[in-house]
Each structure stands twice: as C-alpha cells, then as structure tokens.
Amino acid sequence: METRKGFPSLIVLIACLSALWINSARAQVLFQSDTHDLQNVFSQPLRESIDEYARMVLENALSSEQTELLPMSDEEQASPRLYLNLIRTADNEREYYWISPLFAFECGETVPCTPNAGNQLKEVAVSYIAIDKNSTSFQFAERVSEKISEYKNSEDFHLLANNVKSTLSVSFSEIELAYGLVSLVGQLDADASDLWVIADVVPLFSEKGERGKLKGIAADLVNSVLKEISLPQDILSAPWERIAKEAMSKSNVLVFAVIRTEERDDVFHWITPVSRNLHGLYGINKPHFEIFDDVPRTFRVGTLLEDYRYNVALENGFKVSAYGSWNELVEALFNNEIDTIFGSQGAIDFGCNPNQFKCETITLSSKYDISTAYLALSKKDTCVLVLEKLKLAAADVKMSDEFNERLSSWSDMVSQEYGIAHHTEHGVVHLWNPN
C-alpha cells in the first residue's frame, strides 16, 4: 500500500474522530495490515512478526483507554489515519504527527533514509507509529503519544521487545533495544551532552528564585527529566524572542514552556505538555455564547498590547482596545471601558486583585480555543533519538510518585495563596475549573 508522496507503510490504521476517541467510554481504532513494502528488508515470516509486534505495542499502550482494534471497512476510509512502521523521511516530515519509533534498519535504494537518525557510521531508516496531520487528529495524536511513551517505560514492553529481538536475531546479527525502538543496525547514538536548556519566565511555572535559579512546577518537571537522563544542569532564562532565535539556529536546544502551533512544527520537536489554557472572552454579567462567531460584534474587546488575540479580535470585526497589563485590562473591564477581556482564566486570575474588585463576577462569555504549552526541543540538526530519550524520561517522571506529590503540593499552594482556577490531568496543569 502506498501512502502520500509514495512512501510505504506497513500497517494503516484508521482512527475515529479524535474528540470522540478522547471522550467516549470505549472507542474503536480500525486497522488494515500490509507489510509487503519492505520485502527487501524482511522475509515474509519476519514481516509477520514485526506486524504482530507493532499491533501489540499500540494495543497494549491503549489498553487503559478502553480502545479496541477492529478491521477497517470501506466506509471508514475518510477518518483520520494512523500508521504503524511508516518511514520518516525529509519529504514526508511535515505530513504526520510522528508518535513513536518502532524499528531502525539500513536504508538504500529501495528504502528511504531518515535524517538525523543517530548512527554515525551509516545512514538508517526509522519506522514510526504516525498519524495524519489534520485539524481533527491533534488531540488524538497527543494522547496516543503520551500513552505509548508510558508503555515503553514498562516491563511488559521490554518483554515484548526482547521477544521480537530474539525472533529477528536469526537474520540480523547487530540488534539492540534503545530509546524505545529495536535497532537492526547495532548501537545508535543519541548524544545530548551539549543540550542547552532555556526557559521563558512565567509566574508560578518558571520564575526566578534565589541566586537567579528558576523555580516553579515547569522548572521542577524539567530538572527531573534532566536527572532521569543523567544530565543535570542549570536552566537559563530569556525572553521569548531570544528563545525562538536560538531554537531556529541551533541543535539540541531544550526550551519551555512553548505554545504549540502548526507554524512552530517546523522549528520544534514536542516532548510533553506542561500546561493548557482556555482562551476566550470574559465579561461581567454577559450572556454565554456556545460559538465564538455568535458573539455580537458590538462588544468592545480588550487585549494585551502586541498580543496575537488583538489581531484575532480585529479580524472578527470587534472594536478592540489594547492595554499594557492584565491588571489594566481588569480595571478597564470594571470601569466599563470594555465589555470583555480576550484572554484566559489564568490571566484573569493573575490580573484581578480580590481586595480591589469582585473577581468572581468575571465569567467566560465565549470560548475561543485551548492552547497547550510544551517542553520542546529544537529541530534543526537534532537527532530524532534525543527526542525519544527525552520523551521517555518525561513520561517516567510524570508517572512517578515524587513528581505527582510535588504537583499536588504546588496545586494546593496555587489555590490557597493565589486563588487561581485550575486542575491537573495526566501531569498537565489545566488553567480553568473542571466544571
């Protein structure tokens, strides 16, 4: 079977719409197997083994999500597609969410190579679990990525991988299990010794403490990840403009917390989400609109200066006023200079002084979107296996009792001392009330 741009896939799985998959009690991932494209690499018996291995990695990783694998029928062809053992290349890099690697093997005339694949002696191809990149599959892809990284840290995964190693060792003499993939070309190099860690200063998440060291829950997460890969080092701080410049020009730049957008996919590898923020229009005694487009264009909207939401509000036909801080925006709202603030619940909580205003009277009038801030890695000339090393470390940290106890203590502090609406899910801070 040929995928777009003519690159081969071994297994094509068709997923339900991501929102349904996330929210339903039991979801179906529909699949079709096809392993003949790599017949020059694997014999038919070995293709059957890697077919079964790939299916079991996905099935076992998603078992706690109450997901079942079913054969694909013709009517599901239009759904978002999920692939197993799709080879990552320079030409198809932008077309998929690259979830997790499965195998590394020697590339050549019949098999395309994967750039920056971690072998200094020969070029190799790396096959992946991947998902079509489209507007309906982002949340689905993010959750699958998290679950597979968690599974790859388990004893069950290592047992499964060692079994397939034993099967493949009959035909491949140099076989290693590292960074969550089975390498058929021996040891792969994921050198992160020159990793440079830099953060934007965000109150409570990554802010300067004593002697300029960063503290906060995001800084705690990153320090734990660095400890997990035995690479503890100081975290530098810089404004976003500097961070973006360094990430676009250098390899192995680890940054946080970066809002994930489609435009930034060319600059960053995304390691793990840190926080999510609900963006919308917030007002006092304003009606609630389920759809952003239904909000009357007569509303006077306030935003921060040089904030992306200023242009969004203008493009949507609102009369817009810009202010220098969230405190000024909240004051303008109570002074009836504007009808709504275009921001987030977290920003409202930061900007509203309960000793000065009745902050609880500011409520969401209409949702715009949800943004996710990530721990991210610069893409330029960075080995893709450094990314996998960090993803596995981040998943392990987020599952640890130590980090979850720290997250719980941080959450209690934020509620008691700052009164900021939030909740946590899967080690990620959501900056709004769950109800």
Side-chain angles (χ1 to χ4, degrees), residues 121-299:
L121 301 178
K122 64 183 74 171
E123 291 187 305
V124 299
V126 181
S127 66
Y128 275 77
I129 297 172
I131 296 176
D132 267 343
K133 185 181 289 187
N134 59 52
S135 59
T136 64
S137 62
F138 169 73
Q139 283 183 303
F140 176 72
E142 183 182 77
R143 187 66 183 137
V144 172
S145 179
E146 291 285 298
K147 294 303 296 181
I148 291 177
S149 292
E150 290 173 8
Y151 173 63
K152 284 188 171 183
N153 281 307
S154 71
E155 292 183 6
D156 286 346
F157 168 74
H158 285 272
L159 179 61
L160 177 65
N162 283 322
N163 284 339
V164 80
K165 271 182 59 182
S166 178
T167 300
L168 294 174
S169 64
V170 175
S171 301
F172 297 92
S173 59
E174 294 183 286
I175 186 165
E176 300 281 346
L177 174 62
Y179 318 118
L181 63 79
V182 178
S183 170
L184 307 181
V185 291
Q187 185 175 358
L188 297 173
D189 182 22
D191 183 16
S193 59
D194 63 344
L195 197 69
W196 183 27
V197 190
I198 187 167
D200 195 3
V201 174
V202 179
L204 299 178
F205 285 87
S206 53
E207 56 187 355
K208 290 185 178 181
E210 294 181 4
R211 298 179 181 177
K213 285 195 172 184
L214 290 186
K215 63 178 184 177
I217 194 61
D220 286 347
L221 171 64
V222 174
N223 279 321
S224 297
V225 169
L226 294 173
K227 181 180 178 182
E228 184 77 9
I229 63 172
S230 301
L231 196 65
Q233 58 181 277
D234 290 336
I235 301 173
L236 306 176
S237 62
W240 165 246
E241 292 76 11
R242 169 82 182 281
I243 292 174
K245 180 179 178 181
E246 299 295 346
M248 287 188 287
S249 61
K250 297 179 181 178
S251 62
N252 283 351
V253 181
L254 184 66
V255 302
F256 69 98
V258 182
I259 299 296
R260 183 170 183 171
T261 66
E262 185 176 348
E263 293 76 18
R264 292 174 181 171
D265 278 353
D266 291 337
V267 180
F268 295 105
H269 292 300
W270 307 104
I271 297 169
T272 192
V274 175
S275 65
R276 293 191 175 92
N277 222 337
L278 172 63
H279 302 270
L281 298 177
Y282 291 80
I284 301 171
N285 296 324
K286 293 293 184 292
H288 182 76
F289 300 92
E290 288 292 335
I291 302 175
F292 190 79
D293 289 342
D294 290 343
V295 179
R297 268 37 187 176
T298 54
F299 273 21

Side-chain angles (χ1 to χ4, degrees), residues 14-70:
I14 306 302
C16 295
L17 289 176
S18 59
L20 295 177
W21 186 87
I22 294 290
N23 297 319
S24 62
R26 187 168 185 82
Q28 298 173 353
V29 176
L30 308 172
F31 72 96
Q32 173 181 326
S33 297
D34 182 11
T35 60
H36 72 271
D37 291 301
L38 286 182
Q39 56 188 356
N40 292 328
V41 179
F42 301 101
S43 65
Q44 182 174 347
L46 293 185
R47 291 202 303 273
E48 292 175 355
S49 296
I50 64 171
D51 183 334
E52 176 66 10
Y53 169 77
R55 186 188 64 80
M56 289 187 68
V57 168
L58 181 68
E59 186 177 61
N60 293 345
L62 301 185
S63 61
S64 63
E65 302 292 317
Q66 296 190 347
T67 301
E68 60 181 330
L69 303 182
L70 296 174

Side-chain angles (χ1 to χ4, degrees), residues 286-287 289 295-301 318-319 339-340 365:
K286 293 293 184 292
F289 300 92
V295 179
R297 268 37 187 176
T298 54
F299 273 21
R300 298 166 298 165
V301 175
F318 294 107
K319 180 180 179 181
D339 297 305
T340 60
S365 181

